[in-house]
């Protein structure tokens, strides 16, 4: 079943995970499930890596059982495992949550001497305000990083814990003087019940050996490329466990902890 909701700057399409008849719109952010469902512990994959590639060539997400962090770059889906080591994902691997699009650069900005994540977000937000805060943006930040701190986690088995509990298995690793790319997603404020508002960053090194969810970074020099997007499509899982979730709960504190904070062991 598909439900289309029109708004001034957003077209929202809700479909089941088996609907891939029409080719993906290149000006759409395609989302698999909700960050809120992932936060509640719905880690069952609902779409294969092969089918995800029909919806985009760039993005972020995770894998069945919350088994590592996804970096989707230039049409290749990479996994950062618990040790933040990278491997290319097989097409049969399934995905419980992701945001992807076909990346087409709309504008860019040079970056130099960025002293932290907060400073980076402030710099990016300057351009977001000029180009429309109520749109979606995918960003690719290719740079020399003075320092970057990433995390990834070990996969869980049923019965699944909550996201915050599962992230107690995470490892955090810092690398210095490393070249690579951050893939980031910006969600506008009205997405607060479907995803996390603002920026979410994943990193992969230039040699494709190291990466994960970004907790902190310092950039020596580089470039951020933006893909501005005014359409949004969501694919909901087709299983009974998803229907049992209480998606009306306020999960903002758990999401903030999982997305932005170092998890205490």
């Amino acid at each position: 079943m598909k439900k289309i909701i029109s708004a001034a700057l957003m077209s929202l399409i809700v479909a089941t995970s088996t609907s891939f008849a029409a080719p993906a719109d290149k000006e759409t952010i395609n989302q698999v499930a909700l960050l809120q469902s992932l936060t509640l512990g719905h880690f069952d994959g609902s779409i294969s890596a092969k089918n995800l590639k029909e919806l985009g060539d760039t993005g972020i997400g995770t894998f069945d059982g919350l088994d590592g962090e996804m970096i989707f770059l230039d049409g290749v889906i990479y996994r950062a495992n618990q040790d933040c080591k990278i491997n290319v994902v097989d097409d049969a691997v399934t995905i419980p949550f992701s945001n992807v699009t076909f990346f087409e650069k709309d504008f860019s900005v040079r970056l130099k001497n960025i002293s932290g994540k907060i400073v980076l977000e402030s710099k990016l937000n300057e351009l977001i305000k000029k180009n429309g805060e109520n749109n979606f943006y995918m960003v690719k930040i290719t740079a020399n990083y003075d320092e970057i701190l990433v995390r990834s986690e070990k996969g869980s088995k049923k019965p699944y814990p909550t996201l915050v509990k599962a992230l107690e298995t995470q490892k955090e690793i810092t690398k210095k003087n490393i070249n690579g790319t951050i893939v980031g997603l910006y969600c506008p404020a009205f997405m607060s019940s479907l995803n996390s508002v603002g920026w979410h960053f994943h990193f992969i090194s230039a040699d494709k050996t190291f990466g994960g969810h970004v907790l902190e970074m310092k950039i020596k020099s580089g470039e951020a490329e933006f893909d501005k997007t005014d359409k949004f499509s969501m694919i909901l899982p087709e299983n009974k466990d998803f229907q049992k979730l209480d998606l009306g709960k306020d999960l903002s504190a758990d999401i903030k902890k999982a997305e932005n904070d170092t998890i205490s062991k």
Side-chain angles (χ1 to χ4, degrees):
M1 181 180 69
K2 292 187 177 182
K3 184 183 294 181
I4 302 177
I5 304 171
S6 297
L9 292 172
M10 180 181 78
S11 171
L12 170 61
I13 304 174
V14 179
T16 63
S17 59
T18 55
S19 300
F20 298 100
D25 187 327
K26 291 192 175 183
E27 291 301 323
T28 297
I29 293 290
N30 294 289
Q31 179 167 305
V32 177
L34 297 80
L35 183 57
Q36 283 72 4
S37 59
L38 195 75
T39 302
L40 289 169
H42 191 271
F43 300 161
D44 285 333
S46 60
I47 181 175
S48 69
K50 180 180 180 180
N51 284 338
L52 191 69
K53 292 175 185 176
E54 297 176 15
L55 302 176
D57 59 16
T58 305
I60 55 178
T62 187
F63 302 96
D64 188 79
L66 199 74
D67 187 13
E69 301 284 342
M70 177 194 295
I71 308 97
F72 191 5
L73 181 64
D74 299 329
V76 181
I77 299 176
Y78 301 95
R79 182 208 317 263
N81 69 13
Q82 186 188 28
D83 296 314
C84 300
K85 295 180 179 179
I86 298 292
N87 68 280
V88 176
V89 172
D90 186 89
D91 278 349
V93 171
T94 58
I95 292 145
F97 176 73
S98 183
N99 288 94
V100 305
T101 192
F102 289 100
F103 193 92
E104 295 180 331
K105 185 175 77 170
D106 291 311
F107 55 92
S108 63
V109 63
R110 295 293 302 174
L111 301 171
K112 190 172 182 179
N113 298 328
I114 303 296
S115 60
K117 185 180 175 187
I118 291 175
V119 176
L120 174 64
E121 291 181 355
S122 177
K123 182 73 172 177
L124 300 183
N125 286 340
E126 290 177 10
L127 277 82
I128 296 299
K129 288 179 181 179
K130 292 178 182 178
N131 288 274
E133 292 181 280
N134 287 329
N135 282 83
F136 297 86
Y137 295 85
M138 195 71 77
V139 67
K140 293 193 293 187
I141 306 171
T142 303
N144 174 249
Y145 293 83
D146 283 324
E147 188 173 319
I148 191 160
L149 169 64
V150 302
R151 70 114 193 273
S152 194
E153 58 285 331
K154 183 180 179 180
S156 301
K157 295 182 179 180
K158 286 187 171 181
Y160 294 130
T162 64
L163 178 60
V164 169
K165 187 70 176 175
L167 288 178
E168 292 180 2
T169 68
Q170 77 180 33
K171 290 186 179 180
E172 300 167 8
I173 299 176
T174 299
K175 295 281 187 178
K176 297 185 177 182
N177 192 26
I178 184 171
N179 293 318
T181 301
I182 282 176
V183 177
L185 173 71
Y186 171 87
C187 285
F190 58 75
M191 285 289 290
S192 60
S193 62
L194 303 177
N195 206 319
S196 77
V197 172
W199 291 102
H200 184 152
F201 300 122
H202 288 188
F203 173 80
I204 187 167
S205 62
D207 63 5
K208 308 298 189 292
T209 62
F210 171 78
H213 174 98
V214 177
L215 294 171
E216 189 54 274
M217 92 285 281
K218 295 179 181 178
I219 294 175
K220 184 175 183 179
S221 64
E223 182 180 28
E225 299 176 287
F226 293 76
D227 182 3
K228 179 181 179 180
T229 305
D230 60 4
K231 297 178 186 176
F232 175 81
S233 174
M234 177 182 288
I235 301 170
L236 298 178
E238 280 191 309
N239 65 50
K240 293 180 180 179
D241 288 341
F242 179 80
Q243 297 301 330
K244 295 175 183 177
L245 298 175
D246 181 4
L247 294 170
K249 292 177 66 175
D250 181 3
L251 299 168
S252 56
D254 284 352
I255 288 172
K256 181 179 180 181
K257 186 175 182 64
E259 292 298 298
N260 301 311
D261 297 342
T262 296
I263 307 298
S264 58
K265 302 298 189 291

